[in-house]
């Protein structure tokens, strides 16, 4: 009995995708070609990268879709909160959701986050980049002069040699 593998195929003449069965060896060859055709990606992050952007960067890294995260540690905001108004004019802030990375790490808690006893705030969270680059210069007028962009390009060049 030949072993088959199902593959969803998009057909431009039809509005819905179709399913076709391929021998495992042919399917593996197609998957190898698709992987080889994928572009190498480096994501720039810094202290301004927060919430869903942190989740997105983590998802790509956890699934092996990027070469590296380059920059500084992200903000570390992985909580979604809603403020409920109170009758006395105050408010009750309630955490209603939390971002988790695909490896089930809390975006808020990664990076050795802890509660500050003085302020009660969670500090030290965020996602640590694979390649650290200080990002204190802001967005330069000439993007080519940004040191972090230069480092990201170097990482891509190094990844292309392997």
């Amino acid at each position: 009995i030949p072993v088959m593998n199902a593959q969803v195929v998009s057909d431009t003449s039809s509005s819905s995708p179709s399913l076709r069965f391929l021998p495992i060896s042919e399917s593996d060859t197609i998957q190898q070609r698709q992987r080889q055709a994928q572009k190498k990606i480096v994501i720039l992050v810094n202290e301004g990268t927060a919430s869903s952007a942190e989740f997105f960067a983590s998802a790509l890294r956890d699934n092996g879709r990027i070469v590296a995260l380059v920059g500084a540690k992200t903000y570390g905001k992985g909580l979604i909160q809603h403020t409920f108004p109170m009758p006395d004019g105050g408010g009750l802030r309630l955490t209603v959701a939390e971002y988790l990375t695909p490896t089930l790490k809390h975006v808020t808690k990664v990076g050795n986050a802890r509660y500050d006893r003085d302020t009660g705030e969670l500090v030290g969270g965020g996602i640590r980049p694979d390649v650290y680059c200080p990002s204190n210069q802001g967005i330069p007028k000439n993007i080519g002069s940004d040191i972090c962009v230069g480092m990201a390009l170097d990482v891509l060049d190094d990844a292309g040699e392997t």
Side-chain angles (χ1 to χ4, degrees):
I1 299 173
V3 178
M4 305 297 267
N5 191 3
Q7 180 181 27
V8 177
V9 179
S10 296
D11 184 2
T12 55
S13 63
S14 171
S15 62
S16 62
S18 62
L19 190 64
R20 102 177 156 184
F21 292 92
L22 300 170
I24 290 290
S25 60
E26 186 179 339
S27 174
D28 288 346
T29 304
I30 290 171
Q31 289 174 354
Q32 287 172 349
R33 275 192 248 137
Q34 288 172 340
R35 275 194 292 274
Q36 290 171 349
Q38 291 174 356
K39 301 295 181 190
K40 297 192 184 311
I41 300 171
V42 170
I43 296 182
L44 294 167
V45 296
N46 63 16
E47 301 85 358
T49 307
S51 294
S52 59
E54 290 174 291
F55 170 73
F56 179 73
S58 291
L60 291 177
R61 178 164 66 178
D62 289 354
N63 285 295
R65 297 290 309 204
I66 61 172
V67 174
L69 291 177
V70 176
K73 188 176 65 149
T74 64
Y75 184 77
K77 184 186 180 306
L79 301 177
I80 301 167
Q81 298 178 324
H82 182 75
T83 304
F84 295 93
M86 302 304 288
D88 66 354
L92 171 68
R93 183 172 287 177
L94 184 67
T95 300
V96 295
E98 182 174 16
Y99 290 111
L100 297 176
T101 69
T103 56
L104 301 179
K105 293 180 183 172
H106 300 267
V107 171
T108 307
K109 294 181 183 175
V110 296
N112 300 320
R114 60 180 168 65
Y115 281 99
D116 185 304
R117 292 178 190 226
D118 297 329
T119 64
E121 295 288 319
L122 194 63
V123 295
I127 298 162
R128 295 189 186 279
D130 302 308
V131 178
Y132 177 76
C133 175
S135 62
N136 55 2
Q137 73 180 46
I139 300 172
K141 290 181 182 178
N142 176 4
I143 198 72
S145 68
D146 186 327
I147 188 167
C148 293
V149 170
M151 289 178 79
L153 291 172
D154 290 343
V155 168
L156 281 174
D157 286 343
D158 291 346
E161 295 172 4
T162 58

